[in-house]
Amino acid sequence: DVKVTQSSRYLVKRTGEKVFLECVQDMDHENMFWYRQDPGLGLRLIYFSYDVKMKEKGDIPEGYSVSREKKERFSLILESASTNQTSMYLCASSAPTGTRSEQYFGPGTRLTVT
Amino acid sequence: AQSVSQHNHHVILSEAASLELGCNYSYGGTVNLFWYVQYPGQHLQLLLKYFSGDPLVKGIKGFEAEFIKSKFSFNLRKPSVQWSDTAEYFCAATSRGSGNTGKLIFGQGTTLQVKP
C-alpha cells in the first residue's frame, strides 16, 4: 500500500514564526503536492513538484515556499506564519504524469496560527 | 479557466435513501475524473476514477459515477446509503492532454450526513 506520512497531525504556531511541514512518501512517486483544505473551498493547490529540486506554483503560492531535496520528501515552508494561514494542510503523491494514477494523500496537518 | 463545481454543499439523508451528488467540470480538452471521500478523522481516499471507456464506473463501497460528456458532468450515486457513508465527498479533475502535469482541480466538497 502507498503510504504518505506527514510530520505532525496538529501544530500551533505564533504569528511571524517560520513553520516547516514535512511530507514523506514510500512509493517512489515522481509527483508530490501540497494543498490546503478550508471549509466551503475544497482543496486548493499551493505547490507541486514533479522531480527532485523541481517545483511549480499552484493556485495559491503566496506566503509559502517548498523544498524537495530527495525524491521521497517534500517540505512546505511558511516563511512568516500569519493567522490567515490557519488551515488543514494535505500532502499527496502520484506516479509520473501520463500514467493512469490517482493521487494518494497523507493524513493532514491542522495548523493553527495565533 | 479550468474549474470543478459541486452543486450540493450539505446533504442530509436517512439510511437506505438513494444518493446522487452532482459534479460539473469546465476544461478545454479531455479530462480524467475522480471522486474522493474523507471520512471523519481519516485520510482523503479514492472512491472511483474515470479515464476512458465505459462512462459508468464503479468504485468501492457500492458507489458509482456516470461520465456524461455532453453535460460535462460526473455525478456520484449510491442506491442505498448507510450511516457509515457520512463523510465529505470531493469531485476532482485533471487534464489528460499534452499539458497534463498531474495537477488536480477539486470541487468545493459536499458534506453528507446520513441519519440512522
Side-chain angles (χ1 to χ4, degrees):
Chain A
D1 276 354
V2 175
K3 196 164 185 181
V4 180
T5 57
Q6 295 183 229
S7 48
S8 306
R9 292 298 301 270
Y10 300 94
L11 210 51
V12 180
K13 295 291 182 181
R14 294 190 181 276
T15 301
E17 279 193 83
K18 191 168 186 175
V19 181
F20 292 86
L21 303 182
E22 301 278 324
C23 175
V24 178
Q25 51 93 4
D26 66 358
M27 279 300 291
D28 203 35
H29 281 167
E30 275 73 8
N31 298 333
M32 295 189 75
F33 307 82
W34 274 106
Y35 297 89
R36 63 176 283 176
Q37 181 182 4
D38 299 288
L41 296 177
L43 278 73
R44 293 177 292 166
L45 183 64
I46 303 171
Y47 267 97
F48 71 103
S49 169
Y50 50 88
D51 203 350
V52 175
K53 296 191 185 295
M54 306 301 287
K55 61 186 179 185
E56 282 199 25
K57 293 180 180 179
D59 299 316
I60 51 165
E62 296 79 18
Y64 304 94
S65 62
V66 291
S67 171
R68 193 165 181 203
E69 297 296 318
K70 293 185 178 182
K71 190 176 186 180
E72 67 272 17
R73 190 178 297 269
F74 191 36
S75 302
L76 180 70
I77 303 153
L78 286 65
E79 296 289 345
S80 177
S82 64
T83 54
N84 63 13
Q85 292 178 309
T86 291
S87 186
M88 172 71 90
Y89 290 88
L90 298 179
C91 175
S93 72
S94 71
T97 303
T99 62
R100 293 193 166 200
S101 175
E102 69 267 26
Q103 290 185 19
Y104 296 86
F105 285 83
T109 296
R110 185 166 295 282
L111 172 68
T112 302
V113 182
T114 62
Chain B
Q2 298 169 339
S3 66
V4 175
S5 179
Q6 293 179 240
H7 318 299
N8 318 99
H9 298 298
H10 198 169
V11 173
I12 302 173
L13 294 173
S14 297
E15 275 194 316
S18 64
L19 170 72
E20 181 160 3
L21 301 183
C23 173
N24 285 93
Y25 64 91
S26 173
Y27 263 79
T30 51
V31 293
N32 296 326
L33 294 159
F34 306 83
W35 275 97
Y36 281 86
V37 62
Q38 189 173 36
Y39 298 104
Q42 294 190 25
H43 297 205
L44 206 65
Q45 57 185 282
L46 184 72
L47 264 183
L48 47 79
K49 59 186 176 183
Y50 172 78
F51 288 100
S52 62
D54 188 345
L56 185 63
V57 291
K58 297 194 182 296
I60 61 171
K61 305 188 180 186
F63 285 91
E64 65 178 31
E66 186 175 12
F67 170 58
I68 302 179
K69 189 175 180 180
S70 61
K71 293 185 178 180
F72 300 93
S73 71
F74 190 56
N75 292 355
L76 181 71
R77 300 194 293 246
K78 186 171 183 178
S80 175
V81 295
Q82 301 171 317
W83 177 78
S84 58
D85 293 324
T86 294
E88 190 158 16
Y89 293 80
F90 294 94
C91 182
T94 185
S95 169
R96 204 191 309 163
S98 59
N100 179 16
T101 58
K103 286 170 29 176
L104 281 176
I105 293 181
F106 282 85
Q108 304 91 325
T110 297
T111 300
L112 172 64
Q113 183 182 353
V114 180
K115 294 186 172 180

